[in-house]
Amino acid sequence: MFACRRLFYFRRKLSIVNVLTIIAHPNTASFNYAILDRVETGVRKAGHEVKRRDLYAPLFDPVLSADELGALQKGEVCAAVRQEQALLEWAEALIFVYPLWWFDRPAVLKGWCDRVFTHGFAFSYGEQGVVGLLEHKKALVLITAGGSESEMTAMGATSDSILFPMTEGSLKFCGVEAVQGQVFYGVGTISDEARAGLLDEVEGMGRLL
């Protein structure tokens, strides 16, 4: 019995994954941060390593300037962007947590993608078209929405269409192998019991990453 337990322990140690969480919400008391805390708890309970990148602390400049764009075209990457890319190089899996603003990511996260997912680092162009260069095995995208699912669907916004810009347009485009996502609707109006159940679900997602 003891030998079996030791074997299980070594298997867990060998399967440790470096997980980078990225949150884009200005209010640390928001439900987004509760989600972040619980998904990280699940990741740690699974035995993985976690680093957190809060794009508001310190604030990441989301503006891709003309000067920076010109430098990128010469293959030059500024120090601030290289620092973010170093975090991505450390990570084997990614978790994004953010609210749905104007049917997309908050500007700070969209700008982070604009500036950090650079040509030659996150993607390149080959004879067959775009080649994704990010080697992360998986990513999880968790989005909160103020409206109910029925309200959003009535406007033509399904979970798939809400997730698409990040899951397909950014992550899979850049080569991330397996990308999953979930939209949590009506987070401002659901009951405390429903919130607690949602957070339990999120922790389970972290355990299974």
Side-chain angles (χ1 to χ4, degrees):
M1 178 65 73
F2 181 71
C4 290
R5 286 184 177 177
R6 288 191 64 185
L7 179 59
F8 177 71
Y9 173 78
F10 285 129
R11 282 178 177 168
R12 285 184 61 85
K13 295 295 284 186
L14 287 172
S15 62
I16 288 176
V17 175
N18 292 336
V19 181
L20 177 64
T21 61
I22 300 102
I23 184 164
H25 198 292
N27 184 2
T28 57
S30 67
F31 193 56
N32 278 252
Y33 274 86
I35 290 174
L36 178 67
D37 288 340
R38 287 296 292 275
V39 74
E40 287 182 344
T41 295
V43 170
R44 291 191 176 97
K45 285 183 177 180
H48 305 314
E49 300 291 334
V50 181
K51 287 185 180 181
R52 177 186 294 191
R53 178 62 174 103
D54 181 343
L55 296 183
Y56 284 91
L59 179 65
F60 181 82
D61 183 356
V63 178
L64 175 62
S65 68
D67 288 343
E68 184 176 354
L69 181 60
L72 287 174
Q73 292 171 342
K74 299 175 184 177
E76 302 171 1
V77 179
C78 70
V81 170
R82 186 69 195 113
Q83 183 175 340
E84 303 296 325
Q85 291 178 342
L87 286 172
L88 287 172
E89 289 173 335
W90 171 84
E92 298 166 271
L94 306 171
I95 299 176
F96 292 86
V97 180
Y98 60 91
L100 183 69
W101 286 355
W102 299 112
F103 294 93
D104 203 343
R105 293 155 279 190
V108 70
L109 178 55
K110 178 59 169 62
W112 184 87
C113 294
D114 289 346
R115 295 186 64 199
V116 176
F117 290 168
T118 59
H119 179 267
F121 173 80
F123 68 94
S124 65
Y125 293 101
E127 293 182 357
Q128 304 301 318
V130 176
V131 178
L133 300 179
L134 296 184
E135 297 181 350
H136 304 86
K137 295 180 175 63
K138 57 184 69 176
L140 177 63
V141 179
L142 303 176
I143 303 175
T144 60
S148 68
E149 185 170 8
S150 60
E151 290 171 335
M152 302 296 283
T153 302
M155 291 187 284
T158 64
S159 291
D160 286 344
S161 67
I162 290 170
L163 289 162
F164 187 91
M166 191 68 190
T167 58
E168 308 292 328
S170 295
L171 295 171
K172 287 190 178 180
F173 181 92
C174 291
V176 181
E177 295 177 9
V179 183
Q180 295 182 329
Q182 185 158 336
V183 180
F184 300 106
Y185 295 95
V187 295
T189 57
I190 59 176
S191 67
D192 290 342
E193 182 180 4
R195 283 174 175 251
L198 187 156
L199 292 175
D200 288 341
E201 180 183 355
V202 166
E203 182 175 322
M205 292 178 184
R207 283 175 175 263
L208 294 174
L209 187 70

